């Protein structure tokens, strides 16, 4: 058998798992009342392509409603597939926020929600302080950012992203420390760049409405600071989820790839084909190359 010459990372996102297998997604507009996310996730985690991966990167919305029973189910599936020590998970707005129409009634509610997502992450021995850096291979480091806006807790504002000065300042220091690692991949839940309408149209994407943009976009100062840090510290790739659509673009020289919701079949009628993006890191003449392929599994 030929020797494997690459390190493979699979990017999965927006699973929206639920406490019971029969439960539907909380947001009726996205993919209709999609059901069966848990079953789809189990099937995805049993696929040979996933099992051959060296690392799994999950960019948030693991759960649809943030409850700990769902987190436990997620970690059980991860453990059964032998990925407990080979995966990185960051939170999405569904893992953290209140999805009701009213804001959290008092500060304790807010703290409870933040504590709950920390518990969910800790079940899988994940980092709960952000940003974090994890070297997963001699040539590869993952960097995790929490873009969930802990200040926005209403049904209207919970999807808005935010990174904030303190995370960006620590990120700057962390990136300096890992300058020697050739491949640096940053993960966050929200898109650090929703394309302008004309660009979306040119790419064949459905244009984001003004309200949609306002409700999902990371503030401009955060987006710009993040991209500048990535340029100056040679971050090769930014992975994100949240918008539930596959996107691949280069902004200011940084490649940004957004994943479609992995548990939503690409053809809802056929109910087949779950979108996963795989990254293979190769060494070629002393240079580290990342090759990317999007596969339906
Ligand atoms: Fe999502």
């Amino acid at each position: 058998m030929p020797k494997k010459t690459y390190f493979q990372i699979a990017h999965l996102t927006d699973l929206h798992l639920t406490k019971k297998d029969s439960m539907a997604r909380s947001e009726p507009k996205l993919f209709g009342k999609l059901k069966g996310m848990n079953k789809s996730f189990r099937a995805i985690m049993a696929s040979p392509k996933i099992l051959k991966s060296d690392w799994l990167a999950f960019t948030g919305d693991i759960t649809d409603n943030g409850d700990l029973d769902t987190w436990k189910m997620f970690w059980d599936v991860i453990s059964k597939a032998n990925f407990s020590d080979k995966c990185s998970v960051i939170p999405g707005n569904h893992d953290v926020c209140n999805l009701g129409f009213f804001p959290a009634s008092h500060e304790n509610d807010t703290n409870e929600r933040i504590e709950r997502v920390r518990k969910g992450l800790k079940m899988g021995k994940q980092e709960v302080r952000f940003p974090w850096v994890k070297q997963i291979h001699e040539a590869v480091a993952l960097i995790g950012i929490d873009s969930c806006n802990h200040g926005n807790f209403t049904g209207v504002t919970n999807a808005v992203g935010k990174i904030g000065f303190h995370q960006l300042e620590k990120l700057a220091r962390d990136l300096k420390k890992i300058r020697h690692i050739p491949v640096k991949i940053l993960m966050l839940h929200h898109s650090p760049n929703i394309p302008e309408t004309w660009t979306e149209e040119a790419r064949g994407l459905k244009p984001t409405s003004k309200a949609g943009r306002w409700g999902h976009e990371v503030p401009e100062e955060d987006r710009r600071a993040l991209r500048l840090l990535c340029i100056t510290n040679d971050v090769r790739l930014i992975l994100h989820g949240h918008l539930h659509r596959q996107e691949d673009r280069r902004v200011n020289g940084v490649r940004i790839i957004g994943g479609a919701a992995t548990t939503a079949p690409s053809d809802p009628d056929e109910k087949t084909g779950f979108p996963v993006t795989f990254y293979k890191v190769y060494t070629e003449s002393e240079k580290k190359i990342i090759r990317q392929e999007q596969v339906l599994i």
Side-chain angles (χ1 to χ4, degrees):
M1 212 168 122
K3 194 171 169 271
K4 194 175 144 195
T5 57
Y6 56 83
F7 182 80
Q8 179 170 291
I9 303 163
H11 175 208
L12 301 95
T13 193
D14 294 83
L15 310 177
H16 289 271
L17 305 175
T18 50
K19 200 185 316 193
K20 288 183 183 160
D21 286 2
S22 56
M23 283 168 83
R25 289 273 328 262
S26 55
E27 288 169 314
K29 274 172 89 180
L30 293 165
F31 311 112
K33 275 266 183 197
L34 184 68
K35 279 186 187 176
M37 294 79 72
N38 298 4
K39 195 173 160 225
S40 301
F41 181 54
R42 289 187 202 107
I44 291 161
M45 288 302 297
S47 85
K49 185 101 179 147
I50 288 284
L51 296 174
K52 276 185 204 151
S53 296
D54 298 295
W55 204 270
L56 307 181
F58 291 90
T59 50
D61 283 1
I62 302 299
T63 67
D64 199 46
N65 261 316
D67 60 282
L68 292 176
D69 288 344
T70 306
W71 274 109
K72 188 176 177 315
M73 187 272 290
F74 168 75
W75 288 118
D76 284 347
V77 176
I78 293 287
S79 165
K80 268 189 195 135
N82 273 327
F83 277 96
S84 300
D85 300 321
K86 295 184 292 178
C87 71
S88 294
V89 180
I90 54 165
N93 54 304
H94 274 253
D95 300 314
V96 182
C97 295
N98 172 29
L99 297 170
F101 283 100
F102 300 102
S105 56
H106 53 77
E107 202 181 314
N108 284 345
D109 283 359
T110 307
N111 291 339
E112 271 169 28
R113 290 192 189 116
I114 293 172
E115 202 39 55
R116 191 178 61 168
V117 74
R118 283 189 180 147
K119 276 186 188 160
L121 290 167
K122 278 181 183 170
M123 276 182 199
K125 301 190 192 77
Q126 295 290 310
E127 294 286 344
V128 292
R129 288 176 185 227
F130 296 88
W132 50 251
V133 172
K134 192 167 181 76
Q135 185 164 4
I136 59 173
H137 177 265
E138 57 174 11
V140 186
L142 284 183
I143 301 129
I145 295 275
D146 180 4
S147 61
C148 297
N149 185 351
H150 290 176
N152 286 343
F153 278 87
T154 74
V156 179
T157 60
N158 82 81
V160 180
K162 190 176 179 183
I163 301 168
F165 175 78
H166 294 294
Q167 261 195 113
L168 288 163
E169 187 266 341
K170 179 159 186 297
L171 176 66
R173 285 186 280 125
D174 286 352
L175 288 174
K176 220 170 165 184
K177 287 181 200 154
I178 57 165
R179 268 179 302 193
H180 60 287
I181 302 175
V183 178
K184 294 178 270 290
I185 302 173
L186 187 141
M187 311 159 54
L188 79 167
H189 180 62
H190 293 77
S191 168
N193 170 269
I194 299 179
E196 296 293 335
T197 305
W198 66 269
T199 311
E200 288 178 320
E201 282 169 352
R203 290 181 190 158
L205 296 167
K206 191 173 163 237
T208 307
S209 66
K210 263 193 180 170
R213 197 173 286 274
W214 176 84
H216 294 276
E217 201 156 47
V218 173
E220 190 171 16
E221 64 272 19
D222 280 7
R223 300 197 308 263
R224 289 193 166 184
L226 181 74
R227 296 206 303 265
L228 280 173
L229 286 175
C230 289
I231 296 164
T232 49
N233 291 281
D234 198 24
V235 172
R236 303 270 284 272
L237 183 62
I238 299 178
L239 303 180
H240 72 87
H242 190 55
L243 295 178
H244 294 205
R245 69 183 185 188
Q246 186 69 27
E247 279 192 86
D248 181 357
R249 67 273 198 206
R250 205 173 273 277
V251 182
N252 310 127
V254 180
R255 194 160 184 189
I256 306 175
I257 299 188
T262 309
T263 49
S266 60
D267 180 345
D269 296 328
E270 296 284 325
K271 299 227 180 292
T272 55
F274 300 100
V276 179
T277 312
F278 292 91
Y279 299 90
K280 292 178 179 175
V281 179
Y282 293 86
T283 302
E284 271 180 22
S285 347
E286 299 300 305
K287 279 184 83 179
K288 302 286 184 265
I289 312 281
I290 310 176
R291 292 215 181 102
Q292 170 247 349
E293 56 171 344
Q294 208 228 340
V295 174
L296 296 177
I297 57 174

